[in-house]
Amino acid sequence: MSVAEWNSTPPKPLWPSFERQVELPIGKTCFVEAGQGFPLVLVHGLMAYSFSWRKNIPALAQHFRVLALDLAGCGHSGVLRQGTYGVEAWSRQVEEFLDALGLSTVHLLATSAGGAVALDFASRCGDRVGKLALVSPPNPFSRRVVYLSKAYARTGLPTLLLNPLVARAPQLLPWVFRHRFYSDPARITPETIPGYLEGLRVEVTVPMLRQAICGWNPVVMASRLSRVRAPVL
C-alpha cells in the first residue's frame, strides 16, 4: 500500500513500513518509499518512526524519491543486532541503508533526535550528503540540554521508571499530544495516537530509550559540527 493510499483509506491499516524491508548488518530495517527523482531520506526522532512523516511524504514525493526508514528498535524495524542504541548506531544504519539501496548521495531531512543522527552521518560521510534540513534537532549548546544529558546519564533511567511510562502510553499520549505537541487539539487527526502506539513495544522500546538517551553526549555532537560540509537548513 502506498502512503497516498494509506492517507485516503479509512479505517487505517497498519502503517505500511512493514511491507518493505532490507536486512542490514545492524538489523532488519523497514521503510516506506514514494515518488521519483533525487533521493531524500527522512530520519525520525525518539518515540517515533516513519509514521511521523505521513503528512509530509505525499508533498515531498512530488519533487523527490522519498525514503523514510524506521530506525533500529523503532516502528516495524528489528532490534539492534550488536552494540547499543544511540546516535552512532543509527548513523551507521543510515549508511548501511544507503549502501543496500545503491544510493551514493542523498538529501537528508531529520527531526528531533533524528537531527543528531543526520549530523553524525554528515560529519562522517560528507560526500554522500547533498543538503541537510533539520527540524527541531537537539541543541548541544543549550545549558538545559547539557544538564539533562548529565542527569540522565547519572540516573541511568531505571526500568522501574521507563517500563510504566511506556506501558501506559495509551493513556499518556493523548494528554501529551493535546498539551505539549499541538497548539490546536483539533489538528490531531484520528490516526495519530493509534499510529504512534503501533510503533511501541515495551520489551524493545524501554532498552532503546534508556541506551539512546543516557548515551547521548552533547559535547561529542558539538565537536562534529565543524566536519559537516553540506548546506544546512
Side-chain angles (χ1 to χ4, degrees), residues 41-60:
V41 174
L42 311 184
V43 186
H44 62 79
L46 284 178
M47 295 287 285
Y49 62 117
S50 55
F51 170 81
S52 62
W53 301 105
R54 66 196 182 284
K55 303 295 185 183
N56 309 100
I57 290 173
L60 294 170

Side-chain angles (χ1 to χ4, degrees), residues 43-227:
V43 186
H44 62 79
L46 284 178
M47 295 287 285
Y49 62 117
S50 55
F51 170 81
S52 62
W53 301 105
R54 66 196 182 284
K55 303 295 185 183
N56 309 100
I57 290 173
L60 294 170
Q62 296 180 36
H63 309 280
F64 302 99
R65 177 189 176 188
V66 178
L67 298 150
L69 73 160
D70 295 349
L71 296 174
C74 306
H76 297 295
S77 283
V79 299
L80 195 65
R81 287 188 176 140
Q82 59 182 358
T84 58
Y85 292 102
V87 169
E88 290 78 11
W90 289 326
S91 174
R92 292 196 307 273
Q93 182 181 10
V94 171
E95 183 177 7
E96 292 175 4
F97 181 69
L98 301 191
D99 291 343
L101 271 63
L103 301 173
S104 58
T105 307
V106 301
H107 297 323
L108 290 176
L109 171 58
T111 183
S112 189
V117 176
L119 283 169
D120 185 87
F121 176 77
S123 73
R124 297 187 304 103
C125 306
D127 59 335
R128 304 190 71 171
V129 180
K131 296 178 181 178
L132 184 59
L134 306 177
V135 184
S136 300
N139 180 358
F141 304 107
S142 163
R143 291 182 180 178
R144 178 176 178 273
V145 168
V146 171
Y147 170 80
L148 287 175
S149 69
K150 292 179 179 178
Y152 294 146
R154 281 197 303 269
T155 63
L157 292 176
T159 299
L160 288 175
L161 171 65
L162 286 181
N163 266 32
L165 286 176
V166 176
R168 292 189 61 207
Q171 294 77 43
L172 295 174
L173 277 188
W175 185 92
V176 171
F177 274 82
R178 284 197 304 270
H179 298 282
R180 298 290 294 173
F181 289 171
Y182 285 77
S183 58
D184 179 7
R187 296 178 64 87
I188 304 175
T189 47
E191 81 285 352
T192 301
I193 304 299
Y196 277 99
L197 290 174
E198 185 180 300
L200 302 181
R201 296 161 285 170
V202 173
E203 71 280 5
V204 176
T205 303
V206 168
M208 179 274 292
L209 286 175
R210 180 187 299 111
Q211 293 172 23
I213 294 173
C214 294
W216 182 68
N217 189 330
V219 175
V220 173
M221 179 179 173
S223 70
R224 292 176 178 168
L225 295 178
S226 61
R227 305 178 198 169

